[in-house]
């Protein structure tokens, strides 16, 4: 789309859809005040606006063309956006919050997103002080452009079976990096294919023939002069994906690549000059970067879901379709209860996920500070919480975004709705940084340990006190006798704790019985995996309604109480429906960030759909070249055959 049209496209229109305007006039709260809470404070709102002005004054961030771009163009645009952010970050000395916020405003359409998402954090967490002094300036000044290369073609989940090797050569005081098999090539790391010149490579450390397990190594990939791959390095892009195609996820094969001994990350372990292996701190400390990204993913879950909810809610009040009574005006589709049931859970979950991410981030910050000071006592609890919440929130986001897309009817299937791309971009969150089934089991493993402690009356971790309170014989009955009780958060918390207690201890009992019957531990675990994963999953009324089975099959709710919860859920939806537009307006998403013809602030959906249709590459010419090449011949033949038939 030409620059002028593009600017016109994004300019907020003074003409606001009347239905949307009316919804805003009837807000029952101060939207701006809620925006400050969502941003974290009025200052953070102000900061966000400053960054919006900075980014959206740059043509590359305003582009509407991305809907019909070739992959190379998408990648190059993503590189350009990365470099803009890097230059501003260096020039204005952004902190991590500013960089994360700017990436979000750019829709994470950043080819080299791993630089700040993993490469720099890994150096900060896994390098010795000497190595940090050497490598951090080179990473922060973007001489080193990096990735985090752990996953291989043959293994992503099971880190113990990763095959890349780093063999110590005492003669030359070096490590020799190798990809010994086709399945050992690194596969998937972001920005590995074409952008990065350096990688953090996770490899099995071999010293004097002994394997000392998985350790991180800094491996130069490409010349700092002309970006050509260094000797022994074969690297490239793994091909187009469902979305996130600005990122050059790549492959890496190493054949006898030599790196200095000092290139092994040495905060948690080292190999001395004379070939002695020394381990320091907990061996899982090298997994620290993955925990950080799992926490980030809970933030991305909120961002994606609030985008989807904003588009679906605004479109659902603009779209009028069918009438309840013949002859009456067509209804705003959000007035259909079924539409509320599709769209409002995404709105509710957005707010719940925002608060959950904040709480998890506080836990992360405090435990990370402890770990940096050598105290790893809470690492296991952080691992459990980050694993369970990353898995649960990414799973729910994928489900609810698809419902938001469905709620937008045919137009939700257009790229210009933005919501299809949102579904496709969020889809990998259930896989990256630990596939969900695997992470749920990590949480379940920790839960089973807490149950074992609770059973013998030992103290349990802070988040699991319900295992003690709910097990006591004098625990109070669940007080749900009317609709008002269903709005009492303490009561709902008690319902969840009661159900969780039953499901978690039930899973533990099944596991224990299997083991006592003589089944081996790992077989028993696999045979009870679904129960264990369920034990690791669970939000308020909608969560109860959606998971009815677990609340009714355990001594938690009676059928009458469950019916009250269902009625309260529908009543709550009708209430939320009244404020649905102000609640999504409070996310205060700039139209460029939302990138959706259906979700734009002014609600002029039809004009924008039509304007974006003009950008379709098929509309470059009135008659497409395919007519002259193929269709014309078909029509002429048809005419000829009809003439011949008419003579018969
Ligand atoms: C829409 C917005 C889009 C935004 C952009 C999108 C970009 C997308 C890209 C984003 C970038 C994507 C980038 C990427 O994708 S990077 C690649 C991510 N890969 C993974 O996450 C691999 C997943 N696998 C594992 O983590 C391990 O293999 C597991 C955990 C499965 C097993 O582990 P392991 O094989 O060792 O065996 P074990 O289970 O006996 O565990 C042994 C003990 O260790 C403890 N333990 C385990 N792990 C941790 C831990 N982390 N911190 C602390 N402790 C931990 C554990 O509790 C146990 O403790 P205990 O019970 O013995 O006491
Ligand atoms: C968009 C994207 C970006 C990525 N970026 C990076 C990156 O920057 N760096 C990097 O190192 N990696 C990256 N990855 C790789 C990602 O971390 C892996 O895909 C992920 O860890 C899962 O591993 P896998 O794909 O090998 O699946 P596998 O581990 O082979 O699992 C396949 C399926 O088997 C089942 N399964 C496997 N193990 C178990 C189990 N123990 N219990 C029950 N079920 C199980 C699950 O259903 C799982 O989905 C990225 C992936 C994607 C999609």
């Amino acid at each position: 789309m030409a620059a002028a049209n593009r600017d016109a496209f994004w300019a907020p229109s003074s003409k606001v859809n009347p239905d949307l305007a009316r919804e805003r006039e009837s807000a029952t709260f101060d939207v701006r005040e809620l925006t400050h809470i969502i941003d974290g404070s009025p200052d953070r709102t102000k900061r966000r606006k400053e960054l919006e002005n900075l980014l959206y004054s740059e043509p590359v961030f305003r582009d509407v063309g991305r809907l019909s771009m070739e992959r190379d163009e998408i990648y190059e645009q993503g590189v350009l956006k990365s470099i803009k952010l890097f230059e501003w970050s260096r020039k204005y000395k952004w902190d991590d919050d500013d960089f994360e916020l700017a990436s979000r405003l750019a829709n994470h359409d950043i080819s080299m997103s791993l630089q700040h998402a993993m490469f720099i954090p890994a150096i900060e967490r896994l390098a010795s002080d000497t190595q940090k002094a050497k490598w951090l300036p080179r990473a922060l000044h973007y001489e080193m452009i990096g990735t985090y290369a752990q996953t291989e073609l043959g293994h992503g989940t099971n880190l113990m079976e990763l095959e890349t090797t780093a063999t110590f050569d005492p003669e030359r005081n070096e490590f020799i990096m190798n990809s010994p098999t086709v399945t050992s090539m690194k596969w998937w790391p972001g920005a590995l294919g074409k952008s990065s010149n350096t990688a953090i490579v996770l490899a099995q450390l071999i010293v004097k023939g002994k394997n000392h397990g998985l350790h991180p190594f800094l491996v130069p990939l490409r010349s700092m002069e002309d970006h050509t791959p260094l000797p022994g390095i074969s690297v490239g892009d793994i091909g187009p994906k469902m979305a996130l195609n600005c990122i050059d996820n790549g492959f890496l094969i190493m054949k006898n690549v030599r790196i200095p001994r000092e290139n092994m990350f040495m905060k948690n372990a080292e190999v001395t000059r004379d070939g002695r292996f020394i381990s320091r701190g907990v061996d899982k400390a090298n997994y620290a970067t993955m925990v950080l990204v799992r926490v980030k993913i809970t933030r991305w879950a909120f961002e994606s879901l609030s985008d989807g909810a904003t588009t679906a809610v605004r479109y659902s009040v603009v779209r009028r379709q069918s009438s309840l009574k013949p002859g009456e005006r067509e209804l705003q589709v959000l007035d259909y209860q079924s539409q509320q049931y599709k769209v409002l859970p995404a709105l509710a979950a957005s707010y719940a996920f925002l608060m959950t991410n904040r709480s998890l981030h506080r836990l992360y910050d405090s435990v990370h500070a402890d770990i940096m000071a050598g105290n790893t006592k809470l690492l296991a609890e952080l691992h459990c919480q980050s694993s369970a919440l990353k898995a649960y929130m990414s799973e729910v986001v994928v489900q609810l975004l698809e419902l938001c897309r469905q709620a937008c009817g045919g137009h939700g299937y257009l790229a210009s709705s933005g919501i299809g791309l949102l579904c496709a971009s969020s889809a990998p969150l259930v896989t990256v940084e630990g596939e969900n089934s695997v992470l749920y089991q990590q949480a379940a493993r920790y839960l089973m340990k807490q149950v074992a402690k609770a059973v013998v009356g030992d103290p349990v971790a802070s988040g699991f006190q319900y295992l003690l309170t709910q097990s006591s014989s004098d625990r109070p009955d669940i007080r749900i006798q009317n609709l008002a009780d269903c709005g009492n958060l303490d009561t709902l918390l008690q319902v969840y704790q009661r159900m969780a207690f039953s499901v978690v201890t039930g899973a533990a009992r099944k596991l224990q019985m299997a083991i006592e019957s003589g089944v081996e531990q790992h077989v028993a675990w696999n045979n009870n995996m679904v129960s264990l994963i369920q034990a690791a999953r669970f939000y308020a009324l909608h969560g109860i309604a959606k998971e009815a089975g677990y609340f009714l099959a355990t001594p938690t709710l009676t059928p009458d109480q469950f019916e009250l919860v269902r009625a309260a859920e529908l009543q709550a939806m009708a209430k939320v429906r009244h404020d649905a537009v102000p609640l999504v307006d409070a996310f205060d998403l700039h139209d460029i960030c939302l990138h959706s013809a259906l979700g734009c602030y002014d609600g002029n959906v039809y004009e924008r759909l039509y304007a974006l249709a003009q950008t379709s590459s098929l509309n470059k010419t009135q008659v497409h070249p395919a007519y002259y090449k193929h269709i014309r011949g078909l029509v002429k033949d048809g005419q000829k055959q009809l003439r011949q038939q008419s003579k018969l």
Side-chain angles (χ1 to χ4, degrees):
M1 180 187 267
N5 296 350
R6 178 184 62 212
D7 293 346
F9 182 81
W10 291 121
S13 152
S14 53
K15 182 172 83 58
V16 177
N17 171 281
D19 285 326
L20 205 46
R22 192 175 47 258
E23 300 276 341
R24 288 175 174 142
E25 280 145 23
S26 62
T28 61
F29 62 91
D30 179 333
V31 172
R32 176 57 57 198
E33 214 173 294
L34 182 54
T35 298
H36 293 332
I37 292 168
I38 292 165
D39 284 326
S41 69
D43 283 349
R44 285 311 291 170
T45 298
K46 181 167 165 286
R47 185 64 184 136
R48 172 170 56 82
K49 292 290 186 195
E50 287 162 358
L51 290 175
E52 281 175 5
N53 292 337
L54 180 65
L55 266 78
Y56 301 151
S57 58
E58 278 292 330
V60 73
F61 290 101
R62 302 171 59 82
D63 216 314
V64 187
R66 72 176 187 174
L67 301 179
S68 44
M69 264 186 211
E70 296 300 319
R71 170 110 201 265
D72 285 69
E73 225 184 324
I74 293 174
Y75 168 65
E76 192 173 341
Q77 202 186 62
V79 169
L80 193 51
K81 289 178 181 177
S82 308
I83 289 171
K84 276 286 172 205
L85 294 193
F86 292 170
E87 283 168 352
W88 287 330
S89 176
R90 200 170 35 198
K91 181 177 174 192
Y92 300 119
K93 295 187 178 25
W94 284 351
D95 61 16
D96 290 347
D97 288 348
D98 277 349
F99 196 92
E100 267 295 318
L101 182 50
S103 298
R104 189 279 186 275
L105 297 177
N107 267 307
H108 300 290
D109 269 352
I110 309 292
S111 303
M112 302 184 268
S113 54
L114 254 72
Q115 184 82 5
H116 283 267
M118 296 194 84
F119 187 66
I120 290 171
I123 294 173
E124 289 167 336
R125 285 158 179 76
L126 308 179
S128 66
D129 292 344
T130 314
Q131 291 171 323
K132 274 192 267 194
K134 207 165 55 170
W135 296 340
L136 270 182
R138 295 182 60 199
L140 289 167
H141 283 80
Y142 308 108
E143 184 212 15
M144 281 205 291
I145 298 170
T147 181
Y148 179 89
Q150 175 177 288
T151 302
E152 293 172 358
L153 196 52
H155 288 90
T157 292
N158 191 0
L159 301 185
M160 293 296 120
E161 293 304 313
L162 290 176
E163 300 172 86
T164 300
T165 56
T167 306
F168 182 57
D169 171 1
E171 296 301 308
R172 292 177 46 179
N173 193 28
E174 293 172 331
F175 288 105
I176 306 165
M177 307 300 293
N178 265 301
S179 313
T181 61
V182 66
T183 50
S184 68
M185 77 171 80
K186 292 303 178 185
W187 184 272
W188 269 115
L192 172 61
K194 310 312 280 183
S195 311
S196 297
N197 54 33
T198 310
I200 295 172
V201 174
L202 278 292
Q204 304 292 348
L205 167 65
I206 315 286
V207 182
K208 296 176 189 159
K210 185 171 183 310
N211 184 335
H212 293 277
L214 207 59
H215 291 272
F217 298 82
L218 194 84
V219 182
L221 300 173
R222 293 173 178 268
S223 146
M224 290 293 178
E225 298 315 312
D226 63 8
H227 209 58
T228 48
L230 297 171
I233 297 279
S234 162
V235 66
D237 179 71
I238 62 173
K241 305 177 286 287
M242 276 169 66
L244 302 178
N245 277 306
C246 68
I247 301 175
D248 50 315
N249 299 82
F251 64 81
L252 165 65
I253 300 168
M254 294 175 286
K255 283 278 171 265
N256 296 322
V257 173
R258 286 181 168 270
I259 59 174
R261 178 175 60 87
E262 293 72 22
N263 276 34
M264 172 180 165
F265 281 74
M266 294 201 187
K267 177 175 173 55
N268 299 314
E270 77 168 281
V271 173
T272 59
R273 176 65 193 88
D274 58 357
R276 278 174 304 112
F277 170 73
I278 302 169
S279 170
R280 280 192 288 273
V282 288
D283 62 341
K284 297 306 169 192
N286 274 341
Y287 286 1
T289 314
M290 291 189 278
V291 177
L292 171 68
V293 177
R294 288 167 190 157
V295 174
K296 284 179 188 261
I297 289 175
T298 64
R299 172 72 198 183
W300 297 341
F302 156 69
E303 292 171 358
S304 304
L305 202 50
S306 53
D307 285 5
T310 300
T311 294
V313 165
R314 286 179 178 167
Y315 181 63
S316 297
V317 300
V318 167
R319 186 66 166 178
R320 284 181 174 271
Q321 199 69 202
S322 318
S323 322
L324 283 181
K325 218 166 107 189
E328 272 183 355
R329 188 182 178 195
E330 287 193 284
L331 216 57
Q332 290 172 283
V333 293
L334 193 56
D335 289 333
Y336 292 113
Q337 194 180 61
S338 55
Q339 186 79 355
Q340 292 172 18
Y341 217 71
K342 284 180 200 165
V343 173
L344 297 185
L347 176 56
S350 295
Y351 279 94
F353 285 8
L354 171 69
M355 298 308 166
T356 305
N357 163 263
R358 277 205 185 131
S359 150
L360 178 62
H361 215 295
R362 280 194 295 273
L363 174 68
Y364 177 83
D365 287 344
S366 116
V367 175
H368 176 62
D370 287 352
I371 292 168
M372 287 294 130
N375 168 9
T376 56
K377 195 164 81 53
L378 286 175
L379 176 58
E381 178 164 352
L382 174 64
H383 173 48
C384 170
Q385 298 235 20
S386 56
S387 296
L389 288 173
K390 178 273 180 190
Y392 181 69
M393 288 164 74
S394 58
E395 176 190 331
V396 168
V397 161
V398 170
Q399 291 165 354
L400 292 183
L401 279 180
E402 172 53 20
L403 275 176
C404 286
R405 187 194 64 76
Q406 292 174 23
C408 295
H411 302 339
Y413 195 63
L414 274 170
S416 54
S417 76
I419 209 154
L421 187 63
L422 198 52
C423 290
S425 311
S426 307
L429 296 182
V430 300
T431 307
V432 299
E433 217 54 69
E435 199 280 330
N436 281 1
S437 334
V438 172
L439 294 186
Y440 276 132
Q441 291 175 68
Q442 287 294 306
R445 180 178 173 145
Y446 185 78
L447 270 170
M448 293 302 108
K449 288 181 181 163
Q450 299 309 310
V451 171
K453 288 178 180 173
V455 163
V456 296
D458 283 352
V460 297
S462 59
F464 305 86
Q465 293 303 319
Y466 68 85
L467 290 171
L468 300 172
T469 54
Q470 295 300 329
S471 60
S472 60
S473 49
D474 61 349
R475 71 185 187 187
D477 284 342
I478 302 265
R479 269 189 51 73
I480 290 190
Q481 267 111 22
N482 52 50
L483 287 182
D485 290 341
C486 299
N488 179 316
L489 289 184
D490 289 335
T491 302
L492 292 182
L493 180 63
Q494 191 197 18
V495 169
Y496 274 93
Q497 288 181 338
R498 182 73 48 88
M499 184 277 286
F501 170 77
S502 304
V503 170
V504 169
T505 51
R509 227 184 342 274
K510 281 185 200 157
L511 194 60
Q512 195 51 33
M513 280 160 60
I515 292 166
E516 281 162 8
S517 69
V519 170
E520 283 182 281
Q521 211 280 356
H522 63 277
V523 175
W525 183 271
N526 194 40
N527 294 346
N528 290 282
M529 194 178 281
V530 173
S531 308
L532 289 160
I533 286 178
Q534 187 52 35
R537 289 176 79 255
F538 280 89
Y539 52 87
L541 292 171
H542 184 68
I544 297 172
K546 221 174 61 143
E547 308 281 356
Y550 288 98
F551 290 88
L552 292 168
T554 56
T556 307
L557 290 178
T558 64
D560 292 349
Q561 286 179 320
F562 177 73
E563 281 316 313
L564 275 171
V565 169
R566 287 276 294 155
E569 180 201 19
L570 297 175
Q571 187 187 63
M573 282 196 184
K575 248 167 110 185
V576 170
R577 184 262 171 271
H578 178 85
D579 270 326
V581 168
L583 283 166
V584 296
D585 282 355
F587 296 130
D588 198 25
L589 295 166
H590 194 289
D591 279 348
I592 293 179
C593 184
L594 194 59
H595 228 91
S596 163
L598 305 187
C600 277
Y601 187 80
D602 60 21
N604 297 325
V605 165
Y606 304 122
E607 294 79 351
R608 289 179 185 278
L609 283 174
Y610 184 65
L612 280 172
Q614 308 320 307
T615 66
S616 166
S617 55
L618 293 187
N619 293 329
K620 268 201 285 267
T621 56
Q622 191 37 265
V623 179
H624 194 282
Y627 168 77
Y628 302 105
K629 286 183 202 161
H630 312 296
I631 302 172
R632 179 167 55 183
L634 181 73
V635 171
K636 297 298 173 207
D637 284 351
Q639 286 166 339
K640 203 165 124 218
Q641 283 170 26
L642 287 167
R643 276 196 300 274
Q644 281 161 357
Q645 256 186 12
S646 67
K647 285 176 196 153
L648 298 178

